[in-house]
């Protein structure tokens, strides 16, 4: 233990000493003072989930999503615990005489409490064993579903067993505490006299637990609708560029291919199925570099910033359907464009102090050794995912620094067109493999984690609703059994099936309505916080909560109706005999 403590202290001290050397390193390298460098170190354990860096070389996870699913898991567990408590207290009369007899022959209340807690422990223990088996069976499917590699022994091992035991004891205590205290508190004399029934006015408790269950379930239904609507919003939004029917060929900066770029373009466009072709270092949704860029600002001084750049070919702007809001695009009629011209987006113009894009036309620029004038401004387009706002962007003309050739193709016979493109590629670039993808699929791949989130959220929501309905069905069944004689008398006096069903369902439907009222502000707040992770987000509309409420009402009504109709159709003679 002491050695571990010494190791941690030594590591922290080394980190501090290293950070203190960073300013000296920057001064020795004579870094540009106008560029605000921020160099910091972070533990490798934090790189995947807790990194403060904007860009990581590898894949990163989402800590908020982990929190969301942890909360949903707790919700599902809470609903299951409520089911156990609800049904235990509802059926307490069946064990009232047992408690009365045991107390009358000398049993202490503490021994009864431990008995009921022990029963709860056994039930939870068996449930845990079944759950572990189900997880073991589901691991392969879960890995295929999420795209992550799961190893069962990482979840169940000597390090996690104490955690399982702790959770087992905690859940057993929570689930069994109220039934144990309630049942062990019966007065034996009153119970044996048959008066205990009047003392078991626990209806309000059961109603509160039903409201709690359905509040969580309705909140999850509303959350699922919002997640689906937001994802559709992302997919349907106009990004400001053409991404449909765009075939992207990746040749990884191959110089030989770049030298033949013009020949490839001409040969590709001969095919009538190819409408146009363009070369570029980056395409929307892909990696792009940052460059130190100086542009003459509105006060006449050169303003330097580090910002994203798309190095593009001559036809990139027209090929992708980017709209010019000021100036002109690159043109073969202006040979100087290859080295002395620059096109930027609206956000970049504003960054340099120009609210009117036309005012930046003709201003000087200096970027990576290229100097000249700004000749055009394109309308802002979403070249990154909609999680982020549109950043200032420059599009310098650098055809020989390209990595991709993008082809706009007709969709009539895509397979045949791709085959013909492959033949041209094999002819002009036989040394490079023919690697292609579709731009819309590549761009939407940025939302891969969001789509997995949507699937998991939906599954968990359905599971929570199913468990809540099981509890409601059990409670409805018990209520119908308790009112068997009443139902028989009502039927004997002429009550119809509709009257009986309405009688048994009315109270439960009221509880679901109360749950809707409580769940609406809770789910609105929670999903508003989730939507803050998107720069472009949907507006939460009232119809979402109306739909969630109607769905919950329908599910609850169907659950209750099954038992209600069954009880209503019972022969009244049999009902009265059963008493």
């Amino acid at each position: 233990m002491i050695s571990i403590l010494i190791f941690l202290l030594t590591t922290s001290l080394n980190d501090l000493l290293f950070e203190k050397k960073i300013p000296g390193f920057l001064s020795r390298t004579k870094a540009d003072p106008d560029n605000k460098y921020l160099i910091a170190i972070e533990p490798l354990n934090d790189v995947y989930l807790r990194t403060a860096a904007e860009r990581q070389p590898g894949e990163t996870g989402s800590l908020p999503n982990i929190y969301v699913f942890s909360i949903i898991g707790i919700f599902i567990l809470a609903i299951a615990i409520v089911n156990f408590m609800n049904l235990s207290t509802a059926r307490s009369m069946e064990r009232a005489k047992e408690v009365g007899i045991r107390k009358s022959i000398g049993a202490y209340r503490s021994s009864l409490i431990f008995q009921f807690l022990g029963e709860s422990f056994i039930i939870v223990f068996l449930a845990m064993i079944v759950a572990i088996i189900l997880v073991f069976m589901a691991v392969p499917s879960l890995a295929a579903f999420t795209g992550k590699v799961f190893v069962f022994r990482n979840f169940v091992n000597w390090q996690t067993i104490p955690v399982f035991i702790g959770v087992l004891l905690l859940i057993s205590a929570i689930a069994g505490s109220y039934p144990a205290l309630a049942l062990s508190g019966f007065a034996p004399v009153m119970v044996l006299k048959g008066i205990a029934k009047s003392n078991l006015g626990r209806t309000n408790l059961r109603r509160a637990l039903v409201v709690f269950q359905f509040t969580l379930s309705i909140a999850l239904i509303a959350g699922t609708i919002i997640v689906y609507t937001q994802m559709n919003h992302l997919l349907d939004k106009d990004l400001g560029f053409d991404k449909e029917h765009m075939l992207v060929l990746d040749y990884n900066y191959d110089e030989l291919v770049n030298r033949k770029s013009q020949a490839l373009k001409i040969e590709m466009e001969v095919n009538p199925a190819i409408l146009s072709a363009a070369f570029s270092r980056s395409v929307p949704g892909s990696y792009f570099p940052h460059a130190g860029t100086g542009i003459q600002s509105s006060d006449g001084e050169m303003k330097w910033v580090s910002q994203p750049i798309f190095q593009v070919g001559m036809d990139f702007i027209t090929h992708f359907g980017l709209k010019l809001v000021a100036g002109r695009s690159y043109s073969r009629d202006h040979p100087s464009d290859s080295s002395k011209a620059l096109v930027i987006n609206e956000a970049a113009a504003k960054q340099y102090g120009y609210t009117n894009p036309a005012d930046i036309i003709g201003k000087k620029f200096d970027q990576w050794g290229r100097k000249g004038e700004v000749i055009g401004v394109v309308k802002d387009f979403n070249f990154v995912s909609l999680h982020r706002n549109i950043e200032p962007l420059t599009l310098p003309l650098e055809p020989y620094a390209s990595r991709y050739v993008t082809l706009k193709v007709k969709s009539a016979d895509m397979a045949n067109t791709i085959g013909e493109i492959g033949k041209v590629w094999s002819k002009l670039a036989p040394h490079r493999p023919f690697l292609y993808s579709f731009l819309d699929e590549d761009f939407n791949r940025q939302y891969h984690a969001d789509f997995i989130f949507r699937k998991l959220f939906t599954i968990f929501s359905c599971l929570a609703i199913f468990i809540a309905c099981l509890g409601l069905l059990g409670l409805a069944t018990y209520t119908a059994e308790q009112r068997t004689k009443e139902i028989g008398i009502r039927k004997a006096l002429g009550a119809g099936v509709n009257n009986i069903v309405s009688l048994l369902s009315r109270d439960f439907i009221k509880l679901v309505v109360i749950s809707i009222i409580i769940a609406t502000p809770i789910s609105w707040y929670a999903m508003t916080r989730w939507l803050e992770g998107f720069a472009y987000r949907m507006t939460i509309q009232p119809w979402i909560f109306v739909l969630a409420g109607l769905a919950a009402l329908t599910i609850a009504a169907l659950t209750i109706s099954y038992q209600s109709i069954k009880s209503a159709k019972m022969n009244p003679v049999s009902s009265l005999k059963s008493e």
Side-chain angles (χ1 to χ4, degrees):
M1 187 68 182
I2 295 175
S3 61
I4 295 175
L5 183 61
I6 293 173
F7 172 76
L8 293 174
L9 290 173
T10 305
T11 304
S12 300
L13 182 60
N14 290 335
D15 291 346
L16 290 173
L17 292 174
F18 179 79
E19 284 185 313
K20 287 182 178 179
K21 293 180 180 180
I22 292 175
F25 168 77
L26 292 177
S27 62
R28 287 195 305 273
T29 55
K30 298 180 180 179
D32 189 343
D34 292 330
N35 287 319
K36 306 299 182 183
Y37 291 99
L38 177 62
I39 299 178
I41 59 175
E42 62 182 3
L44 286 176
N45 289 337
D46 292 347
V47 168
Y48 186 73
L49 287 175
R50 298 180 178 87
T51 180
E54 292 185 1
R55 300 172 64 168
Q56 284 286 355
E59 185 180 357
T60 58
S62 173
L63 192 60
N65 284 358
I66 293 177
Y67 289 147
V68 168
F69 289 124
S70 298
I71 292 171
I72 293 175
I74 293 172
F75 280 1
I76 294 173
L77 187 60
I79 291 172
I81 290 173
V82 165
N83 274 350
F84 183 82
M85 295 172 65
N86 214 344
L87 295 176
S88 296
T89 54
R91 306 189 73 88
S92 57
M93 275 305 300
E94 296 182 5
R95 304 194 67 176
K97 288 187 178 181
E98 174 195 344
V99 172
I101 293 172
R102 289 172 68 90
K103 276 193 168 185
S104 65
I105 60 176
Y108 291 103
R109 184 180 184 187
S110 58
S111 64
L112 293 172
I113 291 175
F114 281 113
Q115 175 195 340
F116 293 125
L117 287 176
E119 293 175 1
S120 172
F121 175 82
I122 292 172
I123 293 172
V124 176
F125 177 75
L126 294 175
M128 186 183 73
I129 297 300
V130 173
I132 292 174
I133 295 172
L134 291 176
V135 169
F136 177 77
M137 296 172 60
V139 161
S141 301
L142 190 62
F145 180 73
T146 62
K148 306 290 183 182
V149 178
F150 295 97
V151 181
F152 182 74
R153 64 175 176 271
N154 291 341
F155 302 101
V156 181
N157 51 49
W158 292 109
Q159 293 176 322
T160 59
I161 285 176
V163 177
F164 281 112
I165 294 174
V167 172
L168 170 64
L169 294 174
L170 179 63
I171 294 174
S172 301
I174 295 174
S177 59
Y178 185 82
L181 293 172
L183 292 172
S184 64
F186 292 160
V189 176
M190 304 297 286
V191 170
L192 295 175
K193 283 183 178 181
I195 307 175
K197 189 171 183 178
S198 62
N199 295 330
L200 294 176
R202 311 197 186 279
T203 306
N204 289 336
L205 172 66
R206 292 199 294 273
R207 288 176 176 174
L209 293 177
V210 169
V211 169
F212 175 77
Q213 283 183 308
F214 272 87
T215 296
L216 297 182
S217 300
I218 293 165
L220 289 174
I221 294 174
T224 302
I225 297 172
I226 290 172
V227 169
Y228 265 85
T229 307
Q230 172 63 16
M231 293 310 300
N232 290 336
H233 175 72
L234 295 183
L235 297 178
D236 296 339
K237 185 182 181 302
D238 181 11
L239 301 175
F241 65 91
D242 295 338
K243 67 183 178 77
E244 303 299 329
H245 312 306
M246 287 284 196
L247 195 68
V248 181
L249 310 185
D250 183 357
Y251 55 90
N252 198 28
Y253 308 104
D254 191 304
E255 291 185 7
L256 293 177
V257 176
N258 278 329
R259 290 174 191 169
K260 296 180 180 179
S261 59
Q262 193 60 29
L264 271 167
K265 176 179 169 60
I266 294 172
E267 191 77 18
M268 294 287 188
E269 291 180 344
V270 168
N271 189 331
I274 299 176
L275 302 178
S276 62
F279 286 79
S280 61
R281 178 175 180 174
S282 307
V283 293
S286 73
Y287 168 81
F288 52 85
H290 283 64
T293 304
I295 295 181
Q296 191 176 6
S297 63
S298 55
D299 59 9
E301 299 294 328
M302 292 294 287
K303 180 179 178 181
W304 288 87
V305 295
S306 178
Q307 63 185 40
I309 69 168
F310 266 36
Q311 293 165 288
V312 302
M314 183 70 71
D315 304 302
F316 181 91
I317 293 174
T318 54
H319 175 74
F320 277 90
L322 304 184
K323 298 178 176 58
L324 281 165
V325 294
R328 63 176 179 85
S329 180
Y330 298 117
S331 172
R332 292 179 177 83
D333 296 332
H334 297 80
S336 62
D337 283 359
S338 60
S339 60
K340 297 182 180 180
L342 182 67
V343 175
I344 64 175
N345 70 350
E346 291 177 292
K350 293 175 183 176
Q351 179 179 344
Y352 289 98
Y354 298 95
T355 54
N356 182 6
D359 294 338
I360 201 172
I361 303 300
K363 301 301 181 183
K364 296 179 181 179
F365 80 89
D366 186 347
Q367 182 185 70
W368 275 0
R370 299 173 73 249
K371 296 182 180 180
E373 295 181 350
V374 176
I375 63 167
V377 179
V378 296
K379 185 178 180 60
D380 284 340
F381 64 99
N382 296 96
F383 58 93
V384 293
S385 80
L386 298 178
H387 284 277
R388 295 160 56 183
N389 285 308
I390 297 175
E391 299 179 63
L393 176 71
T394 61
L395 298 95
L397 186 60
E398 293 273 1
Y400 297 109
S402 297
R403 173 177 178 170
Y404 304 102
V405 55
T406 311
L407 308 173
K408 185 182 294 186
V409 299
K410 295 179 181 178
S411 59
D413 189 356
M414 190 65 73
N416 182 59
T417 301
I418 292 174
E420 293 178 358
I421 293 171
K423 292 177 183 178
V424 174
W425 186 264
S426 299
K427 172 184 173 184
L428 295 179
H431 63 291
R432 292 296 307 183
F434 179 58
L435 303 176
Y436 69 90
S437 60
F438 289 95
L439 181 62
D440 56 347
E441 295 177 358
D442 292 343
F443 193 88
N444 291 339
R445 198 168 289 121
Q446 298 175 100
Y447 308 121
H448 178 67
D450 298 307
F451 285 122
I452 292 178
F453 176 88
R454 182 177 72 176
K455 292 177 183 177
L456 292 176
F457 197 98
T458 304
I459 291 172
F460 285 144
S461 299
C462 293
L463 181 60
I465 295 163
F466 175 72
I467 295 173
C469 287
L470 283 180
L472 188 63
L473 178 62
L475 199 56
T477 302
Y478 174 77
T479 302
E481 290 176 357
Q482 291 294 98
R483 304 178 74 172
T484 300
K485 186 174 182 180
E486 177 189 349
I487 293 171
I489 293 172
R490 287 180 179 272
K491 289 200 71 176
L493 294 176
V497 173
N498 292 338
N499 301 111
I500 303 299
V501 171
S502 175
L503 173 71
L504 296 175
S505 305
R506 188 183 305 127
D507 288 342
F508 291 111
I509 297 300
K510 287 180 181 177
L511 298 180
V512 176
V513 172
I514 294 172
S515 300
I516 294 172
I517 296 172
I518 298 173
T520 297
I522 294 174
S523 56
W524 177 86
Y525 174 77
M527 298 313 297
T528 299
R529 294 295 302 272
W530 178 75
L531 287 171
E532 289 175 359
F534 297 88
Y536 299 87
R537 46 187 175 265
M538 58 166 284
T539 301
I540 299 179
Q541 301 289 345
W543 67 264
I544 293 174
F545 303 105
V546 173
L547 182 60
L550 289 175
L553 277 173
T554 302
I555 294 170
L558 291 174
T559 303
I560 300 164
S561 296
Y562 168 77
Q563 183 59 41
S564 300
I565 293 172
K566 181 180 176 182
S567 301
K569 288 185 175 181
M570 188 181 297
N571 190 329
V573 176
S574 302
S575 302
L576 295 174
K577 279 183 179 180
S578 67
E579 287 288 327

